């Protein structure tokens, strides 16, 4: 029974603020929250004065009540998204539609000027041994048909899909916690890219006339893929045998390698075993290389087609320079391997590993970056520059002069600004960039050069200090950190950039200059799907005169699609100092309002402990805890501090940082075999 007549005055208590209006006003929009409330279809709570209590924001309710009275929209001092959320709660459909149009003025299902392409996976590969040989289509599923763009409360359009598939639906060996459609990894080489899903991979190639075309799809694997590597230009004997393009994946200790030639039957070259978990997988020239933090390296050479595994010191970082592989180890040494000399040592069953440099304090080398000046190489002894970071937070630059070839690289300069282990370092023509484990804290320096060589006077000058906050789930997938690597990306003689993914489940990426932290642009998924992985890759230009390579950002999504963004457009604008267009008058990463909006899309307090369940770049700290376990005599356990903002904390003591030398038997005995841990900040 309706307790109100048409002329009744209804009193409302909205979050402690009282409003009075007529029943006719409240019911001016049919099928709303108020019609159900007044009719008694939903229960109501009244305060001591008899007003109906609704626990919502009174400041936002005022313009909603104004709309019910006059059908006018008042936005003074109110965020459109906030007002739209409240209008959706109250079920005011006409107001929601009007606000949606305002919100979508600058958005389109075709993206902005940077949007360059959209790849939809046509089907899943057939699982071997199944009687049903049908292709299990993704694109034809009703959930993936792109509807007209209408944003939900989270800011994603209605086409955003997160429906789980059963094993029977896809005939895939699904993991209980992993959606098989999610693009977990993306890698590029020349004009090829490879997308890794949970149990198969797919390669694409771009042609100037036809665009992106599917070239190779792997069989379905029983194991979950953790790493992927691509080489679209293999030279030597393998190329003459029809193996000029190769793709490899790793899972646990195994590596699987295929040849993926165009218009040629794809061939599985072999399955190799590293013996320990594979942490990194990549090609150097024609060689496939797999490394593990436990101190093992495996190499498959395209010429000899042999697989070889060798034990080294525990590895904490690596970088490549031409045909050379440089390895930073927990004993403070930097080693290099010349992959071109690999076939000459087959008879010895040994790789030619050479010690290049030893850290003065014997601290673990946790990050490496090599810069080869023009006409320089590790062989001819010209000017070579190497920047590396340590587990104690030091960033060092070492150089090799033509006059000191026999003596090896010499220490040029040391920076001690970080108080946490250095996770990334980049030495380029103009800048030195260093990132530490404190929520990806970045320090940068200007590099002055004389005739292409780093100048000693006045030396690197401090440029900027900022953070690239990137939160991860408390238990991310093993390939999450590789698929969502922040960078820096870019050629050493060009502008480097960071890609900032603030929260794990988001449809936005912030592109920032690595040297200053200034915002370049914001990438937003055109269909509103979650961005699950990304990579930056430079594709070769066309054959037309004057064309040059273009730098693209490839983003993989939760619905299996791949979206492409041409970053060269905005980077060229910055190079021309057109900052008003390029930066859109916004600098840095997400603003406070943007950060709060992003954090509202995830739960950071679901953990039972007092620390958040989402932590800043937890996978970055994993390498240091591994290094520390390898360097110390006893087992240690991480214990988190209640005052910390992270669930995963790096180990540190007043005298011995994580991964560094110093956990002696005497110290271990004094502490009973346990190590104290504390949180430090730069």
């Amino acid at each position: 029974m309706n307790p109100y007549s048409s002329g009744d005055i209804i009193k409302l208590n909205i979050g402690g603020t009282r409003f009075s209006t007529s029943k006719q006003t409240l019911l001016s929009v049919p099928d709303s929250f108020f019609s159900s409330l007044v009719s008694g279809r939903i229960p109501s709570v009244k305060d001591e004065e008899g007003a109906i209590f609704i626990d919502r924001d009174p400041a936002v309710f005022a313009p909603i009540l104004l709309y019910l009275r006059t059908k006018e929209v008042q936005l003074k001092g109110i965020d459109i998204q906030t007002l739209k959320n409240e209008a959706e709660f109250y079920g005011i459909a006409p107001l929601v539609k009007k606000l949606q149009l305002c919100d979508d003025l600058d958005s389109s299902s075709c993206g902005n000027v940077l949007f360059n392409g959209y790849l939809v996976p046509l089907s899943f590969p057939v699982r071997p041994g199944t009687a049903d040989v049908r292709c299990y289509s993704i694109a034809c599923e009703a959930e993936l048909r792109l509807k007209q763009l209408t944003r939900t409360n989270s800011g994603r359009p209605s086409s955003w899909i997160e429906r789980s598939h059963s094993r029977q639906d896809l005939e895939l060996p699904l993991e209980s916690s992993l959606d098989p459609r999610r693009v977990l990894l993306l890698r590029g080489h020349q004009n090829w890219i490879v997308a890794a899903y949970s149990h198969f991979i797919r390669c694409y190639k771009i042609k100037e006339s036809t665009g992106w075309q599917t070239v190779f799809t792997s069989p379905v694997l029983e194991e979950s893929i953790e790493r992927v590597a691509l080489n679209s230009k293999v030279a030597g004997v393998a190329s003459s045998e029809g193996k000029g393009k190769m793709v490899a994946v790793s899972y646990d200790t195994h590596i699987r390698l295929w040849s993926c030639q165009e218009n040629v039957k794809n061939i599985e070259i072999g399955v190799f075993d590293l013996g320990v978990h594979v942490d990194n997988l990549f090609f150097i020239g024609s060689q496939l290389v797999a490394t593990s933090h436990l101190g093992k390296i495996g190499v498959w050479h395209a010429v000899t087609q042999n697989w070889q595994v060798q034990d080294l010191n525990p590895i904490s970082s690596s970088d490549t320079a031409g045909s050379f592989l440089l390895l930073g180890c927990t004993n403070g040494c930097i080693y290099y391997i010349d992959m071109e000399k690999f076939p000459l040592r087959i008879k010895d069953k040994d790789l030619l590993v050479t010690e290049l440099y030893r850290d003065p304090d014997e601290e673990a080398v946790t990050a490496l970056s090599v810069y080869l000046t023009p006409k320089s190489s590790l062989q001819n002894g010209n000017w070579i520059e190497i920047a590396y970071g340590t587990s104690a937070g030091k960033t060092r630059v070492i150089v090799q002069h033509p006059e000191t070839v026999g003596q090896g690289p010499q220490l040029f300069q040391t920076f001690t600004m970080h108080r946490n282990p250095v996770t990334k370092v980049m030495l380029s023509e103009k800048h030195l960039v260093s990132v530490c484990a404190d929520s990806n804290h970045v320090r940068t320096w200007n590099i002055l050069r004389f005739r292409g060589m780093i100048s000693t006077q006045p030396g690197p000058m401090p440029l900027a200090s900022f953070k690239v906050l990137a939160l991860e789930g408390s238990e991310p997938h093993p390939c999450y950190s590789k698929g969502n690597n922040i960078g820096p990306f870019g050629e050493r003689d060009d502008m480097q950039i960071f890609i900032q993914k603030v929260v794990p489940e988001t449809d936005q990426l912030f592109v920032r200059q690595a040297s200053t932290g200034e915002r370049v642009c914001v990438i937003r998924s055109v269909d509103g799907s979650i961005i699950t992985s990304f990579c930056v890759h430079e594709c070769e230009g066309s054959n037309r005169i004057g064309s040059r390579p273009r730098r693209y950002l490839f983003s993989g999504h939760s619905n299996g699609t791949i979206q492409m963004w041409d970053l060269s457009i905005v980077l060229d604008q910055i190079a021309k100092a057109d900052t008003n267009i390029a930066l859109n008058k916004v600098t840095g990463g997400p603003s406070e309002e943007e950060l709060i909006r992003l954090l509202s899309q995830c739960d950071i307090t679901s953990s039972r402990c007092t620390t958040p369940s989402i932590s800043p770049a937890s996978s970055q700290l994993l390498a240091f805890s591994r290094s520390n376990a390898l360097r110390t005599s006893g087992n240690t356990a991480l214990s988190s501090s209640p005052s910390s903002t992270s669930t995963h904390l790096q180990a540190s003591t007043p005298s011995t940082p994580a991964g560094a030398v110093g956990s002696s038997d005497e110290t271990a005995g004094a502490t009973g075999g346990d190590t104290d841990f504390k949180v430090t900040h730069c």
Side-chain angles (χ1 to χ4, degrees):
M1 180 178 177
N2 190 344
Y4 303 97
S5 63
S6 60
D8 285 346
I9 301 299
I10 299 178
K11 296 181 179 180
L12 302 173
N13 182 344
I14 309 297
T17 302
R18 288 179 171 79
F19 295 85
S20 297
T21 186
S22 67
K23 176 183 176 183
Q24 182 178 2
T25 298
L26 283 184
L27 301 182
S28 60
V29 176
D31 300 325
S32 67
F33 168 84
F34 298 109
S35 61
S36 299
L37 184 68
V38 172
S39 65
R41 292 197 301 269
I42 59 176
S44 61
V45 178
K46 296 184 179 181
D47 63 9
E48 63 277 3
E49 297 183 5
I52 300 175
F53 178 76
I54 302 175
D55 193 13
R56 304 296 290 187
D57 188 350
V60 187
F61 179 75
I64 289 179
L65 183 58
L66 176 63
Y67 176 81
L68 294 176
R69 288 169 174 166
T70 64
K71 298 301 183 290
E72 295 180 358
V73 181
Q74 176 61 259
L75 296 177
K76 185 179 297 183
I78 301 294
D79 178 68
I80 291 181
Q81 185 64 41
T82 302
L83 182 59
K84 183 162 73 73
N85 292 342
E86 291 298 294
E88 288 175 341
F89 171 81
Y90 292 114
I92 315 298
L95 178 58
V96 172
K97 293 180 179 179
K98 292 180 180 180
L99 295 174
Q100 183 64 55
L101 290 174
C102 297
D103 198 27
D104 289 344
L105 281 176
D106 297 325
S107 63
S108 168
S109 60
C110 298
N112 56 22
V113 67
L114 303 182
F115 183 64
N116 188 260
Y118 188 92
L119 294 177
V120 179
L122 300 179
S123 63
F124 279 113
V126 178
R127 186 179 181 184
T130 53
D132 189 355
V133 295
R134 293 180 296 112
C135 289
Y136 298 89
S137 173
I138 302 177
C140 68
E141 293 181 19
E143 295 85 0
L144 287 182
R145 293 172 183 168
L146 298 181
K147 304 174 184 177
Q148 184 178 3
L149 220 64
T150 54
R151 298 271 168 183
T152 62
N153 290 348
S154 62
R156 302 187 180 98
S158 58
S159 59
W160 176 67
I161 305 302
E162 284 299 317
R163 188 177 74 84
S164 299
H165 285 274
S166 67
R167 186 184 302 269
Q168 291 75 16
D169 289 335
L170 301 176
E171 284 292 344
L172 290 175
L174 305 183
E175 293 184 359
S176 59
S177 61
L178 192 62
D179 190 332
R181 298 169 304 165
R182 297 170 76 94
V183 182
L184 301 179
L185 292 166
L186 284 169
R187 292 293 181 268
H189 187 238
Q190 295 185 337
N191 286 345
W192 286 54
I193 61 170
V194 57
Y197 299 82
S198 58
H199 296 282
F200 73 97
I201 61 173
R202 180 161 285 154
C203 296
Y204 300 88
K205 179 183 179 181
I206 187 173
K207 293 184 178 180
E208 187 176 357
S209 57
T210 59
W212 289 95
Q213 303 292 326
T214 302
V215 180
F216 169 74
T217 301
S218 74
V220 176
L221 305 179
E222 292 289 339
E223 302 81 2
S224 178
I225 295 172
E226 298 177 355
R227 301 288 184 267
V228 66
L230 174 66
N231 189 347
S232 63
K233 191 175 181 180
V234 179
V237 177
S239 179
S240 62
E241 294 179 353
K243 302 176 183 176
K245 305 179 190 304
M246 298 183 184
V247 62
V249 300
S250 71
Y251 43 86
D252 196 20
T253 67
H254 295 86
I255 299 101
R256 203 161 182 170
L257 179 63
W258 292 277
S259 167
C260 50
Q261 290 287 96
E262 286 186 273
N263 304 320
V264 177
K265 183 179 180 180
N266 300 304
I267 303 172
E268 181 174 302
I269 297 175
V271 179
F272 315 108
D273 189 3
L274 186 62
V276 293
H277 190 274
V278 178
D279 292 323
N280 295 288
L281 186 68
F282 50 90
F283 282 93
I284 298 180
S286 301
Q287 292 73 248
L288 174 65
V289 181
T291 65
S292 171
H293 71 279
L294 295 174
K296 279 188 179 289
I297 178 172
V299 179
W300 182 88
H301 200 283
V303 176
T304 62
Q305 301 192 25
N306 288 327
W307 171 255
Q308 187 171 355
V309 178
Q310 182 170 330
D311 291 326
L312 299 173
N313 286 294
I315 301 170
S316 50
S317 60
S318 64
D319 193 22
T320 61
S323 63
F324 287 83
L325 170 64
L326 283 84
L327 301 171
C329 296
T330 57
N331 62 353
C333 289
I334 300 175
Y335 301 93
Y336 75 88
I337 303 173
D338 187 354
M339 290 299 171
E340 290 184 350
K341 294 182 179 180
F342 174 74
L344 305 177
R345 302 287 303 203
I346 289 297
K347 61 180 182 180
D348 300 331
K349 303 297 182 184
D350 193 14
L351 295 172
L352 187 58
V353 181
T354 305
E355 180 178 320
L356 182 66
Y357 183 77
R358 181 180 293 269
D359 183 75
D361 299 327
E362 296 187 352
E363 297 169 358
V365 179
T366 54
L368 262 178
S369 177
V370 183
Y371 178 76
L372 299 180
T373 59
K375 299 181 181 181
S376 68
S377 69
L378 294 178
Q379 287 178 314
N380 60 28
N382 285 337
W383 196 287
I384 302 166
E385 302 167 359
I386 300 175
Y388 72 91
T390 72
S391 57
K394 298 184 179 71
T395 301
R396 302 187 193 271
V397 178
I398 58 176
V399 298
Q400 179 169 293
H401 301 247
E403 302 83 11
T404 60
V405 175
Q407 303 175 10
Q410 305 296 311
L411 182 60
F412 175 76
Q413 195 162 358
T414 299
F415 304 93
T416 58
M417 285 73 172
H418 293 298
R419 297 178 58 194
N420 295 268
V422 176
T423 59
K424 299 175 183 295
V425 67
M426 169 69 78
L427 179 61
S428 64
E429 182 181 13
K430 298 180 180 179
H431 300 103
L432 171 63
V433 180
S434 179
V435 186
C436 82
D438 177 22
S439 302
N440 292 328
H441 175 229
V442 183
R443 289 296 303 264
T444 64
W445 294 264
N446 274 323
I447 298 294
L448 300 179
R449 296 188 176 275
F450 178 72
R451 295 180 179 177
M453 299 180 294
I454 191 168
S455 175
T456 58
Q457 298 295 333
M461 301 295 293
L463 177 60
S465 175
F466 56 93
K467 284 187 177 182
V468 185
L469 181 65
L471 303 180
E472 292 183 0
S474 57
E475 296 181 359
H477 188 269
C479 66
Y480 181 87
S481 60
K482 293 293 183 181
N484 296 271
N485 179 23
I486 66 170
F489 302 99
E491 297 296 328
R492 305 299 170 90
D493 57 350
D494 202 352
M495 181 186 299
Q496 286 82 42
I497 56 175
F498 284 114
I499 306 297
Q500 183 176 10
K501 182 181 176 183
V502 180
V503 295
E505 303 290 304
T506 182
D507 61 351
Q508 293 185 53
L509 297 175
F510 294 85
V511 183
R512 304 173 62 180
Q513 293 187 53
S515 58
T516 62
E518 292 183 333
R519 182 183 300 187
V520 175
C521 60
V522 177
I523 299 300
R524 188 170 187 175
S525 171
V526 295
D527 61 3
S529 57
I530 292 174
I531 298 175
T532 54
S533 59
F534 56 84
C535 77
V536 176
H537 176 60
E538 197 169 82
C539 292
E540 295 180 351
S542 66
N543 297 326
R544 297 188 181 96
I545 298 176
S547 64
R548 58 184 180 83
R550 309 287 295 180
R551 198 185 312 188
Y552 292 95
L553 170 62
F554 297 92
S555 57
H557 295 256
S558 57
N559 57 8
T561 61
I562 301 172
Q563 300 178 20
M564 290 161 280
W565 313 84
D566 188 353
L567 298 181
S568 296
I569 297 174
V570 67
L571 294 178
D572 288 346
Q573 293 174 349
I574 294 177
K576 296 176 182 177
D578 195 357
T579 55
N580 287 336
I581 298 176
L583 300 180
N584 197 24
K585 298 182 180 180
V586 179
T587 59
S591 62
E592 293 180 357
E593 293 79 9
E594 291 171 325
L595 180 59
I596 292 299
R597 189 177 297 116
L598 288 169
L599 292 177
S600 66
Q601 299 176 13
C602 66
D603 182 12
I604 62 173
T605 58
S606 61
S607 175
R608 295 180 180 178
C609 63
T610 56
T611 55
S613 62
I614 288 184
S615 56
S618 58
S619 61
Q620 296 294 334
L621 305 181
L622 182 59
F624 307 117
S625 63
R626 288 171 171 174
S627 299
N628 191 64
L630 291 169
R631 297 298 300 274
T632 55
S633 57
N635 295 327
T636 59
L638 291 176
S639 59
S640 57
S641 168
S643 61
S644 168
T645 60
S646 164
T647 13
H648 304 278
L649 307 180
Q650 71 277 10
S652 62
T653 63
S655 59
T656 307
V661 177
S663 295
S664 62
D665 295 337
E666 180 180 354
T667 304
T671 59
D674 295 329
T675 304
D676 294 330
F677 294 88
K678 66 178 182 179
V679 184
T680 58
H681 301 279
C682 296

